[in-house]
Amino acid sequence: MPGMTHSSAPARDDAALVAAFRAGRHDAFEEIVRIHGNRLLGVARRIVRDDDLAQEAVQDALVSAFRARDKFAGTSLLSTWLHRITVNAALMKLRSQKRRAEDSIDALLPTFKDDGHHREQFVAWDERADTKLERADTRRMVRAAIDQLPDSYRTVLVMRDIEGLSTEETATALGLTANAVKIRLHRARMALRTLIAPHLQEVSV
């Protein structure tokens, strides 16, 4: 698909470009794909974890966006509108795949003593660990840890903490209640901490 390796979306929409897109001009649509395609592909990849499925999801999303172009009222950024369409397209791809039963997340959650204290002895994540998170190798480690989470928890974590969707938006996209999203997000964060803590302890010594 054209435009998948170009720059990410600009901070503001070009009004003339959006107007041409809404009018159905294909050159405007191609320009929008060039501007936004790479970021949308990244969004889809984080949800489906498969390059081919991500490409398909973005293609589906862009086709849907073009068909629904007259529904874009301009009350939000075009990038935000495309992002939501892509998230939904990626979720549909994910649901369409036959997956094995999800593993339990319980083994990754904290356990407690009778007095209410954690059984695990957590090492504080100091400033050096936070700085380490900015490095490319550590980002890869965190992404790999996120990929180890069961889909039902991983998707909530990705949508809330990485894609920046609100609790309500995430709940609507996943067909969950807002409370269920909050519970899954909390459990996913705790599980992720368990997975990455050993790596952060290594860089904190």
Side-chain angles (χ1 to χ4, degrees), residues 26-177:
H26 288 279
D27 59 331
F29 179 61
E30 290 174 0
E31 178 69 6
I32 287 171
V33 172
R34 185 190 69 78
I35 294 171
H36 298 278
N38 191 53
R39 179 174 179 270
L40 297 180
L41 185 58
V43 170
R45 279 175 174 158
R46 285 189 286 272
I47 293 175
V48 301
R49 296 184 299 173
D50 179 277
D51 284 346
D52 291 338
L53 284 179
Q55 289 275 0
E56 291 177 11
V58 174
Q59 289 174 0
D60 291 349
L62 291 172
V63 170
S64 296
F66 187 76
R67 290 174 175 170
R69 62 191 182 277
D70 58 335
K71 297 180 181 179
F72 177 63
T75 54
S76 65
L77 287 174
L78 179 63
S79 58
T80 302
W81 186 67
L82 292 172
H83 180 278
R84 290 169 180 163
I85 294 174
T86 301
V87 165
N88 286 326
L91 289 172
M92 289 181 65
K93 290 293 180 185
L94 192 63
R95 295 187 192 109
S96 70
Q97 301 305 300
K98 291 183 178 180
R99 304 188 305 278
R100 62 180 173 79
E102 288 190 345
D103 296 328
S104 172
I105 201 175
D106 291 347
L108 298 174
L109 300 179
T111 56
F112 299 89
K113 300 178 182 178
D114 291 339
D115 61 5
H117 290 88
H118 284 99
R119 292 185 184 278
E120 297 82 0
Q121 295 297 315
F122 292 111
V123 174
W125 294 1
D126 61 17
E127 184 177 356
R128 286 174 296 168
D130 292 339
T131 301
K132 178 77 172 178
L133 279 172
E134 298 177 359
R135 293 177 49 175
D137 57 344
T138 307
R139 289 199 298 271
R140 286 193 293 269
M141 177 270 293
V142 172
R143 286 196 295 267
I146 292 173
D147 283 349
Q148 293 180 51
L149 299 175
D151 282 344
S152 61
Y153 293 95
R154 183 183 57 79
T155 51
V156 168
L157 183 72
V158 167
M159 293 172 71
R160 287 287 287 110
D161 288 352
I162 298 179
E163 299 306 327
L165 273 68
S166 68
T167 297
E168 291 72 21
E169 289 171 331
T170 301
T172 298
L174 296 175
L176 300 172
T177 64

Side-chain angles (χ1 to χ4, degrees), residues 174-203:
L174 296 175
L176 300 172
T177 64
N179 190 55
V181 167
K182 293 177 182 177
I183 292 172
R184 288 191 188 183
L185 179 61
H186 178 64
R187 288 168 65 86
R189 286 172 175 168
M190 288 193 296
L192 181 62
R193 181 188 178 106
T194 298
L195 289 169
I196 68 177
H199 300 279
L200 294 180
Q201 289 172 18
E202 289 174 6
V203 303

